Structure formats: structure tokens, C-alpha cells
Amino acid sequence: MELEVLLGLFILCLLTVFHVLPHLVLLFIVVGVIFFLDRELFKRVDYILLLTFVFFFIFAGNMSNLDSVRNVLQSWMEKDALMTSVLASQIFSNVPAAILLSNFTENAHDLLLGVNIGGLGTPIASLASLITIKFYLRSTHCKSKTFFLYFTILNFFILLILFLFVKFI
């Protein structure tokens, strides 16, 4: 696709973010443009990964509707929004965790720090990590056990350093 077309779609995405253009209108425009200009692109989409994203968001949204979960998250966010955000990111992934926890705090600073730092740790802590792992597993010289071991140790080590730095310095 031409750079100008992609730039135009990007601008439309920004208009949607700023609530100028409804998201469903954007969806139809993007799908239509791709359908007419590069129909083959639909064959290369990783639909399993796309569904993974969708299910993480659905799961996080449903969790916030349970009274017991809502009460616990409210209490934890009041006590330590940073720690709660880091821990929630390990379970729900950092972006769905940010959306989930934003309903329970006015402390945007600690929430955003927590979910950004919380993108490290477990492989599901950041959906970008899942994409990285998927690409690595497709490589010709893949050593999955070694990779997962180093990946996990390094991620938790960096998470710990960043958390301690932000929390105590």
C-alpha cells in the first residue's frame, strides 16, 4: 500500500482516538481500503493472536463486573496502586489491566507506571511479548526451553529493578 494511504488511515485512527470519528466508521473504512488495495493482507493476519487480544479485554471487563473482584481491586488500588498494577499485568496483560484498574483509582501516575513496568515478567504480561515469542518459535534455530528460561529470568530481573527504583527512589 502507498505511504499516503497508510498516513491517511493513521490520521483517521487519531480522529477516532479523539472521538471525532466513530470507531465503527473507522473499522469499515480501514477494512474497505485494505479490501480494495491489498486483499491478500487478510490472509496474512494472525487471527489467533487477534482473538487472544479480544479475549484478554473481554476477560478483564467481565472481572470488573464481579462484586467480589471489584471490592478487592478497589481496596488494593487504594493501598498500593503501583504494586496492584504490576501484579494485575502479570495476570491480565498490561493494557487490559490498565483498562480494568482505571475504574478503581484516581492515581493515574502509579497506575500507568505499574502497567508499564508490569509489561515485564510473565510472557502474558505484555501481548508484545507473546508476539516476540511466536516469531522466535518460528525461527530455524529455535531453542524454546533455553529461550523461555532466559526470557523469564531477564524479564523478572528487569521488572524487579524498575519496580524497586520507582517505588523507593
Side-chain angles (χ1 to χ4, degrees):
M1 273 194 276
E2 296 293 322
L3 180 61
E4 295 82 12
V5 173
L6 294 174
L7 188 58
L9 291 175
F10 176 70
I11 290 169
L12 292 177
C13 289
L14 290 177
L15 291 174
T16 301
V17 169
F18 293 114
H19 303 288
V20 175
L21 182 67
H23 65 278
L24 284 177
V25 172
L26 174 71
L27 175 66
F28 285 113
I29 291 171
V30 170
V31 169
V33 167
I34 292 171
F35 181 80
F36 287 110
L37 295 181
D38 191 2
R39 189 170 304 171
E40 293 294 313
L41 189 60
F42 288 109
K43 293 179 183 175
R44 296 192 315 254
V45 172
D46 186 340
Y47 290 101
I48 299 298
L49 184 63
L50 187 59
L51 284 173
T52 302
F53 278 91
V54 169
F55 287 128
F56 268 116
F57 283 100
I58 291 171
F59 179 72
N62 285 337
M63 293 302 287
S64 69
N65 290 327
L66 299 173
D67 287 335
S68 58
V69 173
R70 189 172 37 244
N71 293 337
V72 167
L73 291 176
Q74 179 81 39
S75 171
W76 288 359
M77 287 298 284
E78 287 172 5
K79 289 178 186 161
D80 193 341
L82 180 69
M83 176 65 88
T84 303
S85 301
V86 169
L87 293 175
S89 295
Q90 304 308 301
I91 299 166
F92 303 117
S93 192
N94 60 346
V95 175
I99 293 169
L100 170 67
L101 297 175
S102 66
N103 296 318
F104 304 108
T105 188
E106 297 293 320
N107 188 350
H109 180 265
D110 282 0
L111 170 65
L112 293 176
L113 274 175
V115 295
N116 277 298
I117 294 169
L120 294 161
T122 65
I124 65 166
S126 171
L127 294 174
S129 293
L130 292 177
I131 295 168
T132 302
I133 291 167
K134 187 168 187 171
F135 276 114
Y136 177 76
L137 292 175
R138 288 184 189 163
S139 69
T140 55
H141 302 294
C142 167
K143 295 180 182 175
S144 59
K145 288 181 183 178
T146 305
F147 177 79
F148 280 117
L149 179 66
Y150 285 125
F151 178 89
T152 304
I153 290 170
L154 186 60
N155 266 277
F156 274 108
F157 180 71
I158 296 170
L159 181 145
L160 180 63
I161 289 171
L162 290 175
F163 178 78
L164 292 173
F165 180 80
V166 167
K167 189 73 173 174
F168 299 109
I169 294 178

